[in-house]
Amino acid sequence: MLRRPCVLLLLNCVGWLGQEAISQPSPQTGNYGGKVETIRLASLTPDLSNVRGFNYNTVSSVDDAHGVAYTDQWIRYNHEEVDRDMGFAQKLHLNEVRVFLSYNAWLKDRAQFRDRLIDFVRTCYAHGIGVMPVLVDGAEEMMPNLFEPSARPQLREWAQDLVSAIGKEPGLVFWDANNEPDIISEPKEFMRHRMEIARYVAGILRELDSRTPVTIGCAYVPCMEELADAVDVLSFHDYSPTTHEIRDNMATAKQFAARVGKPVFNTEIGCIARANPYDLTLQEHMRASMGWYIWELMIAQHWGNVHGVFYSDGSVRDPSIAAAILGFFRDRGPNVVLENPDREGWVTRAVDDGNKWLNDPAPDWNKGLDVAETEANLMEAAQLVAMRELPTRTVDLLRSGKPDVPELQTVIRKYIAILKPYCKGSQK
């Protein structure tokens, strides 16, 4: 990993070179000065290091036959839901959203789709959030002939209508021409077709829209390098399971960005099922001053068991994710101060009270709940248990249901077993 002074120097170079590259005249689209201005008006730095973004799917949308929810998201578009969710994002000071568009929803009702897209961009803008629409995903999600020459007039018409609808909206900050054209490497001919389509759609967007920077959301850095000449901004995705891999990928991406004179950011990070926890990857990206987009804001239906920050009521699954987005991280160093939950004898009393309740031949239901809640609060406050199944949630569910003494006895026995090693008399 580069030392911090080198990183800062590299970022300064990327920012300066990026602005210069975007500003250079192009035989395809003329002067790129308008794209620099778009980045500036979005309150983003030229190197995009202050991008704090998220990918977005609504909780209410459901998967179609191809396993994607974004078609339903646009067909059953709900302004109130979007407005609510952007409010959640605003609380975390997030400033950019990446959202997949639906070619099939557009085909179904073009005028309606345009209206909904405009509403989405304006709603996000009202919350201080810029928008990066993604045009192309896969053939199954769009059109069977996506990789054939016959698809190109359809893709141009699609892009042209999108630019006509939102190209001058101040909330539009980037275009993402194609999501992960390199995600399927075999057969090689298939990947080549995907890369060609990504390049073609990026070219259309650069031709039609002189003010909005264009990127391609590559899954890996080599794709980003191969398609660099087709975009204004470089982007890649990274769900690596170790810090050294995350650092190495960022260093490689930055070095290449400096070489070609274009800004770079990461438009997908964070997956608990890929050993890529949000707090770890966010900390690494912030340390490296690399702009980022988490996948994803909401605990939605398709990816909800491995991704997401917010439930639809505004509660969160893991507060450490929200804290990390705000720049607060766990201390993993040598000088942490471990909690002493029995410093004032509360653990000992809770264990004793639990045993007394268990030994009562006619236990009082509400008193038992109070014992269990005290034990649960001690365990959570002192981080004595994993938070996958919150003890306080278990107690709340017992309180809200019909009295079930055997179940409560099982819970209290379990909590006593966890707490007992932390009683003063049990500690060495």
Side-chain angles (χ1 to χ4, degrees):
M1 182 181 178
L2 294 172
R3 295 178 183 269
R4 180 166 291 275
C6 296
V7 172
L8 292 174
L9 178 60
L10 179 58
L11 284 172
N12 287 336
C13 291
V14 171
W16 178 78
L17 289 170
Q19 181 161 341
E20 287 298 306
I22 293 177
S23 299
Q24 291 302 310
S26 161
Q28 188 177 30
T29 61
N31 195 286
Y32 276 70
K35 300 191 176 187
V36 174
E37 182 68 3
T38 297
I39 290 174
R40 186 189 69 79
L41 290 174
S43 299
L44 300 177
T45 56
D47 63 4
L48 305 181
S49 60
N50 67 333
V51 168
R52 299 166 45 82
F54 58 95
N55 286 268
Y56 181 65
N57 286 290
T58 57
V59 174
S60 65
S61 56
V62 297
D63 286 356
D64 61 16
H66 306 296
V68 297
Y70 51 77
T71 295
D72 184 55
Q73 175 171 307
W74 291 106
I75 290 175
R76 295 192 303 114
Y77 180 81
N78 185 323
H79 167 84
E80 287 72 26
E81 183 176 15
V82 171
D83 187 48
R84 179 200 68 197
D85 295 349
M86 294 307 130
F88 298 156
Q90 190 174 14
K91 288 182 179 180
L92 292 181
H93 307 298
L94 294 167
N95 58 12
E96 293 292 324
V97 57
R98 182 172 180 256
V99 64
F100 284 65
L101 304 183
S102 170
Y103 179 76
N104 288 318
W106 175 74
L107 281 182
K108 184 174 182 179
D109 190 329
R110 299 185 185 193
Q112 181 185 77
F113 185 87
R114 286 170 58 96
D115 290 343
R116 290 175 173 180
L117 180 58
I118 292 168
D119 181 81
F120 180 84
V121 173
R122 291 178 180 177
T123 302
C124 293
Y125 186 67
H127 287 277
I129 296 169
V131 178
M132 178 199 290
V134 183
L135 273 69
V136 176
D137 192 10
E140 291 183 345
E141 296 85 4
M142 290 192 67
M143 56 186 80
N145 64 328
L146 179 61
F147 304 129
E148 299 173 11
S150 59
R152 299 203 171 192
Q154 297 168 264
L155 290 170
R156 172 174 285 276
E157 185 182 15
W158 157 242
Q160 196 161 13
D161 200 36
L162 296 175
V163 172
S164 174
I166 60 171
K168 295 183 180 179
E169 289 289 327
L172 176 67
V173 182
F174 303 102
W175 292 109
D176 187 336
N178 199 139
N179 177 61
E180 298 186 341
D182 55 329
I183 194 61
I184 301 175
S185 58
E186 297 293 340
K188 291 184 178 180
E189 183 178 356
F190 181 72
M191 181 174 171
R192 180 175 60 81
H193 287 319
R194 287 179 63 93
M195 299 287 273
E196 288 175 356
I197 287 298
R199 184 180 292 278
Y200 175 73
V201 175
I204 294 172
L205 291 169
R206 295 176 86 185
E207 172 191 334
L208 297 175
D209 185 351
S210 61
R211 67 169 291 276
T212 309
V214 175
T215 192
I216 295 171
C218 288
Y220 305 106
V221 171
C223 161
M224 181 196 81
E225 296 174 343
E226 181 177 340
L227 296 175
D229 63 316
V231 300
D232 306 303
V233 173
L234 306 171
S235 64
F236 67 103
H237 302 161
D238 191 1
Y239 295 105
S240 295
T242 64
T243 53
H244 76 83
E245 289 175 277
I246 295 170
R247 293 169 184 172
D248 289 348
N249 288 335
M250 284 192 292
T252 301
K254 285 186 173 186
Q255 289 162 6
F256 178 79
R259 211 159 53 240
V260 299
K262 294 184 178 183
V264 60
F265 52 15
N266 188 333
T267 53
E268 285 189 26
I269 62 171
C271 180
I272 61 174
R274 301 179 190 175
N276 187 248
Y278 289 94
D279 61 334
L280 184 146
T281 190
L282 283 166
Q283 187 169 25
E284 292 301 323
H285 281 76
M286 290 182 191
R287 281 175 173 170
S289 297
M290 171 73 78
W292 46 265
Y293 291 71
I294 61 168
W295 189 289
E296 57 186 327
L297 181 71
M298 304 303 296
I299 300 172
Q301 295 188 40
H302 186 81
W303 290 109
N305 58 359
V306 294
H307 291 283
V309 182
F310 288 102
Y311 291 104
S312 58
D313 64 356
S315 61
V316 298
R317 174 163 48 205
D318 182 354
S320 73
I321 300 174
I325 291 171
L326 292 172
F328 298 96
F329 305 99
R330 294 182 184 275
D331 188 337
R332 294 183 171 90
N335 300 316
V336 297
V337 178
L338 294 178
E339 299 88 343
N340 179 5
D342 205 31
R343 175 169 173 161
E344 297 179 346
W346 277 82
V347 172
T348 299
R349 285 196 297 275
V351 169
D352 290 344
D353 289 344
N355 283 322
K356 288 177 184 177
W357 187 85
L358 289 171
N359 292 326
D360 190 332
D364 179 86
W365 171 251
N366 290 316
K367 185 174 181 181
L369 287 171
D370 289 345
V371 169
E373 184 176 349
T374 301
E375 293 172 337
N377 285 335
L378 285 166
M379 289 187 292
E380 289 185 23
Q383 303 186 95
L384 305 182
V385 292
M387 295 295 160
R388 176 178 171 83
E389 288 289 346
L390 291 173
T392 52
R393 176 176 178 269
T394 297
V395 177
D396 285 347
L397 291 175
L398 285 169
R399 281 194 188 278
S400 64
K402 294 180 179 180
D404 186 344
V405 172
E407 178 62 23
L408 182 54
Q409 289 172 331
T410 299
V411 167
I412 290 178
R413 287 192 187 97
K414 177 182 177 181
Y415 293 175
I416 287 173
I418 294 170
L419 288 169
K420 195 170 183 179
Y422 297 95
C423 293
K424 289 179 181 178
S426 301
Q427 295 176 341
K428 296 180 180 179

